[in-house]
Amino acid sequence: MLLKYAAGDMGDLAADSTVLFVPQFEKISGRTLKRLDEASSGAVTTLLKSAEFTGKEGEIAAVYHPHGFKSDRVILVGLGERKSLTADSFRRAAGNVSRFKGLTSSKKAVFHFEKVEREEYFQAAVEGCVLGSYRMLQFKTGEDRKNTDRLAEITCAVDSPRLVGRLKKAAERGRIFAEGQVLVRDLASTPSNHLTPRLLAARAQNLAKKHGFSCRVLDEKAIAKEKMGAFLAVARGAKEPPRFIILEYRGAPAGRRPVVLVGKGITFDTGGISLKPSLDMHEMKSDMSGAANVLATVVNAARLKIPQNVVGLIPATENMPSGTATKPGDIVTSRKGLTVEITNTDAEGRLILADGLDYASKFKPQAVIDIATLTGAALIVLGYSGAPIMGNHPGLLKRIKQAADATSEKVWEMPLWDDYRERKKSTIADLVNSFGRPAGTIMAGIFLESFIGDYPWAHVDIASVDLERSGKPYTPKGSTGFGARLLTQVLYRWKKL
Ligand code: BES
Ligand code: MN
Ligand code: ZN
């Protein structure tokens, strides 16, 4: 989709459709509504009287052939109440309109932002449009494969020429943020036979070349040389060999310590010998969403030219049951030297992250953030609404919360109390990897904490928010891609902790 920018009166821009974002109204008031009502011989009055369109969230109406407009139709999209307007109002409204036939059948559209001055609103509108119209067509054939959308060009427009520069910057940023999230959705929706650890590594290498960052891949031998015993314990059961992917983006002088991101890359989680029930097991193809988020965030950092150094670490493997698989009760030695009694092979994410978090120390990081579809219990704590976060550094956690406010990817901090640390011990090894049902999300965090180095650390558990089951304004059914905008925003606003 081509994005263009312009300034001018909303009636003066020629297009198939002109989209206007309208806050809720009770009577025809304000210049725009009055003018539209006149231009449509009272159609807006009719819409208001019939309550067909009053600017509520979710409402869309089209006015055809408005007099005095160079556009064939004006599409009104509801923003909801003016007093509770946020960037997400624009994201949701743009998401809603992005699937509206009148718009998708247009070739050229204008998004006119009337009296909007906030950059984050422009950005959010572009994000909503890209995210709302997302569809995964790669595995469809025939008629279903065809993308019937004609929308090829959107001109973002404001009244005043002095705003165009800011509009353009914000909209381009919105496109990058959203395309990162789309990359996560694509990868997470790709089934495990089409996205093995090796294929994920190849994809990372292609993206690195395209966007100008470095990508090194450790194969099974190199991983063994690094003594990543916890990671290898998970990989043992699979025929597909594991990969450890190292991404490095340089946006600052070499001396600047990097922010390191670690993402869980289980390309399929059967549970291993502690086999999962078959109901919904297919959803475990997206157990590499954390990895996809890390990859997308590094891509975003490169595209946005963020002036920081960023490292992405991705342990990638399948978790399979087989004659060579790790068995419950087995004890392994992690890269850090701590021994782990693997009491449940389905608690595999924390094992691969343990070695990833330890490896992160190599980079002398300013901070480390890991992201993972780690615990089913995350859904029990927060439902589908948000992601539990935890960590050892209030300043870093605050950054993540602030970023979450900006991107509307909700997070909530869990406590890491001393009481929990008592429960992680094994009778015969240093640690066990699973702890029963109470505080499952926190206990996973407590386990990870044992493997971190001397750095500020935060953990984001996205198991609760990774899949959308019904469809929201800018989140169609399927993989959500939650986390990519969040991490990008953290880096975008980064300053020394
Ligand atoms: N990948 C799962 C967590 C998960 C569950 C993600 C549902 C998305 C949706 C993880 O590896 C897992 O199996 N966790 C176990 C841990 C338990 C054995 C301690 C869980 O949550 O049940
Ligand atoms: Mn598991
Ligand atoms: Zn898992």
Side-chain angles (χ1 to χ4, degrees):
M1 201 187 323
L2 188 67
L3 284 181
K4 289 184 169 177
Y5 305 92
D9 183 84
M10 66 179 122
D12 284 347
L13 296 162
D16 301 307
S17 291
T18 297
V19 175
L20 295 178
F21 295 91
V22 184
Q24 204 171 326
F25 58 102
E26 278 153 19
K27 54 184 195 323
I28 302 293
S29 64
R31 203 172 66 97
T32 310
L33 285 175
K34 280 196 182 121
R35 188 168 154 205
L36 274 173
D37 203 40
E38 281 161 21
S40 63
S41 318
V44 179
T45 298
T46 311
L47 287 169
L48 175 62
K49 280 195 180 145
S50 64
E52 266 178 72
F53 186 85
T54 60
K56 280 203 191 92
E57 187 184 332
E59 290 177 350
I60 299 174
V63 171
Y64 293 87
H65 310 302
H67 315 304
F69 278 74
K70 289 192 180 138
S71 188
D72 287 351
R73 59 167 98 60
V74 172
I75 300 172
L76 305 174
V77 48
L79 277 172
E81 283 185 54
R82 191 186 284 280
K83 65 175 192 293
S84 49
L85 219 58
T86 62
D88 208 48
S89 312
F90 280 85
R91 218 178 269 118
R92 293 194 302 261
N96 285 327
V97 80
S98 73
R99 293 177 302 273
F100 181 66
K101 259 269 152 23
L103 180 63
T104 58
S105 63
S106 301
K107 222 172 168 171
K108 283 186 177 183
V110 170
F111 278 24
H112 200 275
F113 297 96
E114 227 232 337
K115 288 196 211 119
V116 179
E117 301 238 337
R118 292 197 187 206
E119 284 182 29
E120 60 266 36
Y121 290 1
F122 305 144
Q123 177 178 342
V126 173
E127 288 171 359
C129 190
V130 173
L131 295 170
S133 56
Y134 172 79
R135 272 171 303 170
M136 171 92 164
L137 296 171
Q138 195 191 331
F139 295 102
K140 297 278 194 189
T141 66
E143 279 304 300
D144 283 350
R145 170 132 199 168
K146 282 198 194 120
N147 183 351
T148 49
D149 286 4
R150 295 180 67 226
L151 190 56
E153 184 185 304
I154 296 179
T155 302
C156 300
V158 278
D159 295 290
S160 140
R162 87 187 152 80
L163 273 175
V164 176
R166 281 166 57 198
L167 168 71
K168 176 166 192 247
K169 265 199 180 148
E172 294 294 337
R173 190 159 68 230
R175 182 212 282 267
I176 292 172
F177 270 66
E179 285 177 354
Q181 186 165 353
V182 161
L183 172 62
V184 179
R185 288 179 183 177
D186 278 341
L187 289 170
S189 311
T190 304
S192 68
N193 61 331
H194 290 269
L195 193 72
T196 60
R198 285 182 292 179
L199 289 168
L200 180 61
R203 190 69 191 273
Q205 263 162 337
N206 285 338
L207 287 164
K209 203 177 279 166
K210 182 168 170 198
H211 297 291
F213 56 89
S214 93
C215 174
R216 274 187 298 140
V217 177
L218 307 187
D219 63 10
E220 58 274 37
K221 274 196 196 133
I223 296 167
K225 223 171 154 192
E226 278 294 334
K227 298 201 163 66
M228 296 189 182
F231 177 26
L232 285 173
V234 178
R236 282 185 63 93
K239 264 222 168 95
E240 280 294 335
R243 290 292 182 262
F244 191 89
I245 306 165
I246 303 158
L247 315 165
E248 284 181 81
Y249 161 70
R250 280 249 169 103
R256 176 95 52 90
R257 296 163 81 178
V259 177
V260 178
L261 308 172
V262 186
K264 171 177 173 181
I266 297 290
T267 58
F268 196 83
D269 183 11
T270 65
I273 297 296
S274 314
L275 195 65
K276 284 183 182 296
S278 40
L279 185 75
D280 296 336
M281 197 205 272
H282 62 281
E283 289 178 355
M284 285 301 117
K285 69 177 180 181
S286 28
D287 211 16
M288 34 52 69
S289 287
N293 270 305
V294 168
L295 179 54
T297 304
V298 176
V299 168
N300 285 354
R303 292 183 75 188
L304 293 163
K305 301 193 169 61
I306 291 177
Q308 303 297 337
N309 293 329
V310 184
V311 172
L313 301 177
I314 299 173
T317 177
E318 296 179 338
N319 183 24
M320 297 293 286
S322 77
T324 60
T326 291
K327 300 169 287 300
D330 286 359
I331 294 176
V332 299
T333 304
S334 71
R335 184 177 184 280
K336 196 174 184 180
L338 288 170
T339 55
V340 183
E341 180 186 2
I342 300 177
T343 44
N344 189 326
T345 64
D346 197 13
E348 84 297 341
R350 61 198 73 181
L351 292 170
I352 72 170
L353 290 175
D355 283 342
L357 287 168
D358 181 45
Y359 190 84
S361 292
K362 271 198 174 188
F363 299 91
K364 301 199 176 5
Q366 287 187 53
V368 177
I369 304 172
D370 78 73
I371 181 160
T373 47
L374 204 62
T375 66
L379 192 66
I380 309 300
V381 201
L382 296 182
Y384 296 107
S385 302
I389 60 169
M390 57 217 92
N392 66 355
H393 191 290
L396 177 59
L397 289 164
K398 191 169 166 205
R399 295 274 175 87
I400 297 175
K401 290 173 200 168
Q402 284 168 339
D405 285 341
T407 65
S408 281
E409 292 160 291
K410 294 198 215 43
V411 300
W412 198 259
E413 187 182 345
M414 297 287 124
L416 296 179
W417 290 322
D418 268 339
D419 315 43
Y420 301 119
R421 295 195 179 92
E422 286 306 309
R423 288 174 54 202
K424 68 179 180 182
K425 293 176 184 141
S426 156
T427 345
I428 60 167
D430 295 329
L431 301 159
V432 291
N433 78 326
S434 97
F435 317 89
R437 285 163 64 92
T441 299
I442 293 172
M443 287 310 296
I446 291 282
F447 181 87
L448 295 179
E449 182 198 46
S450 313
F451 296 88
I452 63 174
D454 185 18
Y455 50 65
W457 158 75
H459 160 59
V460 185
D461 191 338
I462 51 172
S464 48
V465 288
D466 190 49
L467 261 189
E468 171 58 41
R469 282 158 203 284
S470 41
K472 297 229 174 69
Y474 57 88
T475 318
K477 206 171 143 179
S479 178
T480 61
F482 182 111
R485 283 187 299 114
L486 178 70
L487 292 179
T488 305
Q489 180 71 13
V490 169
L491 295 178
Y492 189 71
R493 292 259 174 254
W494 191 263
K495 47 187 188 298
K496 246 175 122 189
L497 272 175

